[in-house]
PDB file of all heavy atoms in Angstrom:
ATOM      1  N   ALA M 238      10.832 -28.990  10.621  1.00  0.00           N
ATOM      2  CA  ALA M 238      10.714 -29.002   9.172  1.00  0.00           C
ATOM      3  C   ALA M 238       9.294 -29.467   8.744  1.00  0.00           C
ATOM      4  O   ALA M 238       8.697 -28.856   7.860  1.00  0.00           O
ATOM      5  CB  ALA M 238      11.754 -29.942   8.555  1.00  0.00           C
ATOM      6  N   ALA M 239       8.775 -30.488   9.433  1.00  0.00           N
ATOM      7  CA  ALA M 239       7.418 -30.991   9.078  1.00  0.00           C
ATOM      8  C   ALA M 239       6.381 -29.929   9.414  1.00  0.00           C
ATOM      9  O   ALA M 239       5.411 -29.727   8.649  1.00  0.00           O
ATOM     10  CB  ALA M 239       7.143 -32.281   9.838  1.00  0.00           C
ATOM     11  N   GLU M 240       6.573 -29.225  10.524  1.00  0.00           N
ATOM     12  CA  GLU M 240       5.629 -28.178  10.886  1.00  0.00           C
ATOM     13  C   GLU M 240       5.689 -27.015   9.871  1.00  0.00           C
ATOM     14  O   GLU M 240       4.676 -26.458   9.493  1.00  0.00           O
ATOM     15  CB  GLU M 240       5.939 -27.641  12.279  1.00  0.00           C
ATOM     16  CG  GLU M 240       5.018 -26.549  12.735  1.00  0.00           C
ATOM     17  CD  GLU M 240       5.343 -26.032  14.140  1.00  0.00           C
ATOM     18  OE1 GLU M 240       6.269 -26.557  14.769  1.00  0.00           O
ATOM     19  OE2 GLU M 240       4.707 -25.053  14.563  1.00  0.00           O
ATOM     20  N   ARG M 241       6.892 -26.687   9.427  1.00  0.00           N
ATOM     21  CA  ARG M 241       7.035 -25.633   8.430  1.00  0.00           C
ATOM     22  C   ARG M 241       6.372 -25.999   7.120  1.00  0.00           C
ATOM     23  O   ARG M 241       5.705 -25.166   6.481  1.00  0.00           O
ATOM     24  CB  ARG M 241       8.508 -25.324   8.239  1.00  0.00           C
ATOM     25  CG  ARG M 241       8.751 -24.105   7.409  1.00  0.00           C
ATOM     26  CD  ARG M 241      10.200 -23.671   7.543  1.00  0.00           C
ATOM     27  NE  ARG M 241      10.438 -22.463   6.802  1.00  0.00           N
ATOM     28  CZ  ARG M 241      10.346 -21.282   7.306  1.00  0.00           C
ATOM     29  NH1 ARG M 241      10.034 -21.111   8.570  1.00  0.00           N
ATOM     30  NH2 ARG M 241      10.595 -20.190   6.596  1.00  0.00           N
ATOM     31  N   ILE M 242       6.516 -27.250   6.696  1.00  0.00           N
ATOM     32  CA  ILE M 242       5.883 -27.720   5.460  1.00  0.00           C
ATOM     33  C   ILE M 242       4.384 -27.672   5.618  1.00  0.00           C
ATOM     34  O   ILE M 242       3.664 -27.227   4.691  1.00  0.00           O
ATOM     35  CB  ILE M 242       6.356 -29.145   5.124  1.00  0.00           C
ATOM     36  CG1 ILE M 242       7.858 -29.093   4.678  1.00  0.00           C
ATOM     37  CG2 ILE M 242       5.516 -29.748   4.022  1.00  0.00           C
ATOM     38  CD1 ILE M 242       8.497 -30.451   4.583  1.00  0.00           C
ATOM     39  N   ARG M 243       3.860 -28.079   6.777  1.00  0.00           N
ATOM     40  CA  ARG M 243       2.421 -28.014   7.011  1.00  0.00           C
ATOM     41  C   ARG M 243       1.910 -26.566   6.925  1.00  0.00           C
ATOM     42  O   ARG M 243       0.885 -26.268   6.293  1.00  0.00           O
ATOM     43  CB  ARG M 243       2.094 -28.611   8.366  1.00  0.00           C
ATOM     44  CG  ARG M 243       0.618 -28.752   8.668  1.00  0.00           C
ATOM     45  CD  ARG M 243       0.361 -29.380  10.035  1.00  0.00           C
ATOM     46  NE  ARG M 243       1.245 -30.434  10.428  1.00  0.00           N
ATOM     47  CZ  ARG M 243       2.163 -30.338  11.419  1.00  0.00           C
ATOM     48  NH1 ARG M 243       2.291 -29.208  12.097  1.00  0.00           N
ATOM     49  NH2 ARG M 243       2.976 -31.349  11.705  1.00  0.00           N
ATOM     50  N   ASN M 244       2.649 -25.641   7.533  1.00  0.00           N
ATOM     51  CA  ASN M 244       2.254 -24.223   7.490  1.00  0.00           C
ATOM     52  C   ASN M 244       2.310 -23.654   6.071  1.00  0.00           C
ATOM     53  O   ASN M 244       1.438 -22.877   5.683  1.00  0.00           O
ATOM     54  CB  ASN M 244       3.124 -23.385   8.424  1.00  0.00           C
ATOM     55  CG  ASN M 244       2.827 -23.688   9.877  1.00  0.00           C
ATOM     56  OD1 ASN M 244       1.740 -24.151  10.240  1.00  0.00           O
ATOM     57  ND2 ASN M 244       3.805 -23.459  10.729  1.00  0.00           N
ATOM     58  N   ILE M 245       3.318 -24.063   5.316  1.00  0.00           N
ATOM     59  CA  ILE M 245       3.426 -23.583   3.938  1.00  0.00           C
ATOM     60  C   ILE M 245       2.229 -24.100   3.124  1.00  0.00           C
ATOM     61  O   ILE M 245       1.619 -23.334   2.362  1.00  0.00           O
ATOM     62  CB  ILE M 245       4.755 -24.061   3.298  1.00  0.00           C
ATOM     63  CG1 ILE M 245       5.933 -23.277   3.906  1.00  0.00           C
ATOM     64  CG2 ILE M 245       4.736 -23.929   1.799  1.00  0.00           C
ATOM     65  CD1 ILE M 245       7.305 -23.810   3.521  1.00  0.00           C
ATOM     66  N   CYS M 246       1.914 -25.372   3.259  1.00  0.00           N
ATOM     67  CA  CYS M 246       0.795 -25.944   2.501  1.00  0.00           C
ATOM     68  C   CYS M 246      -0.530 -25.287   2.884  1.00  0.00           C
ATOM     69  O   CYS M 246      -1.371 -25.029   2.001  1.00  0.00           O
ATOM     70  CB  CYS M 246       0.743 -27.450   2.710  1.00  0.00           C
ATOM     71  SG  CYS M 246       2.136 -28.322   1.909  1.00  0.00           S
ATOM     72  N   ARG M 247      -0.727 -24.979   4.129  1.00  0.00           N
ATOM     73  CA  ARG M 247      -1.981 -24.323   4.559  1.00  0.00           C
ATOM     74  C   ARG M 247      -2.040 -22.888   4.036  1.00  0.00           C
ATOM     75  O   ARG M 247      -3.087 -22.412   3.640  1.00  0.00           O
ATOM     76  CB  ARG M 247      -2.085 -24.327   6.077  1.00  0.00           C
ATOM     77  CG  ARG M 247      -2.444 -25.648   6.656  1.00  0.00           C
ATOM     78  CD  ARG M 247      -2.565 -25.567   8.155  1.00  0.00           C
ATOM     79  NE  ARG M 247      -2.815 -26.900   8.686  1.00  0.00           N
ATOM     80  CZ  ARG M 247      -2.633 -27.230   9.949  1.00  0.00           C
ATOM     81  NH1 ARG M 247      -2.191 -26.324  10.824  1.00  0.00           N
ATOM     82  NH2 ARG M 247      -2.894 -28.429  10.364  1.00  0.00           N
ATOM     83  N   SER M 248      -0.893 -22.214   4.064  1.00  0.00           N
ATOM     84  CA  SER M 248      -0.875 -20.796   3.610  1.00  0.00           C
ATOM     85  C   SER M 248      -1.103 -20.698   2.080  1.00  0.00           C
ATOM     86  O   SER M 248      -1.662 -19.735   1.632  1.00  0.00           O
ATOM     87  CB  SER M 248       0.453 -20.163   3.947  1.00  0.00           C
ATOM     88  OG  SER M 248       0.599 -20.108   5.347  1.00  0.00           O
ATOM     89  N   ALA M 249      -0.621 -21.666   1.347  1.00  0.00           N
ATOM     90  CA  ALA M 249      -0.724 -21.611  -0.102  1.00  0.00           C
ATOM     91  C   ALA M 249      -1.966 -22.258  -0.643  1.00  0.00           C
ATOM     92  O   ALA M 249      -2.229 -22.266  -1.865  1.00  0.00           O
ATOM     93  CB  ALA M 249       0.521 -22.226  -0.722  1.00  0.00           C
ATOM     94  N   ALA M 250      -2.808 -22.831   0.222  1.00  0.00           N
ATOM     95  CA  ALA M 250      -3.981 -23.559  -0.236  1.00  0.00           C
ATOM     96  C   ALA M 250      -4.946 -22.667  -0.990  1.00  0.00           C
ATOM     97  O   ALA M 250      -5.531 -23.097  -2.008  1.00  0.00           O
ATOM     98  CB  ALA M 250      -4.688 -24.218   0.966  1.00  0.00           C
ATOM     99  N   ASP M 251      -5.128 -21.418  -0.569  1.00  0.00           N
ATOM    100  CA  ASP M 251      -6.065 -20.566  -1.247  1.00  0.00           C
ATOM    101  C   ASP M 251      -5.574 -20.234  -2.676  1.00  0.00           C
ATOM    102  O   ASP M 251      -6.370 -20.231  -3.612  1.00  0.00           O
ATOM    103  CB  ASP M 251      -6.332 -19.289  -0.465  1.00  0.00           C
ATOM    104  CG  ASP M 251      -5.072 -18.457  -0.221  1.00  0.00           C
ATOM    105  OD1 ASP M 251      -3.972 -19.055  -0.262  1.00  0.00           O
ATOM    106  OD2 ASP M 251      -5.195 -17.252   0.055  1.00  0.00           O
TER     107      ASP M 251
END
Side-chain angles (χ1 to χ4, degrees):
E240 181 181 356
R241 189 166 183 91
I242 291 169
R243 186 179 322 110
N244 290 336
I245 289 171
C246 291
R247 285 181 184 162
S248 297
D251 60 338

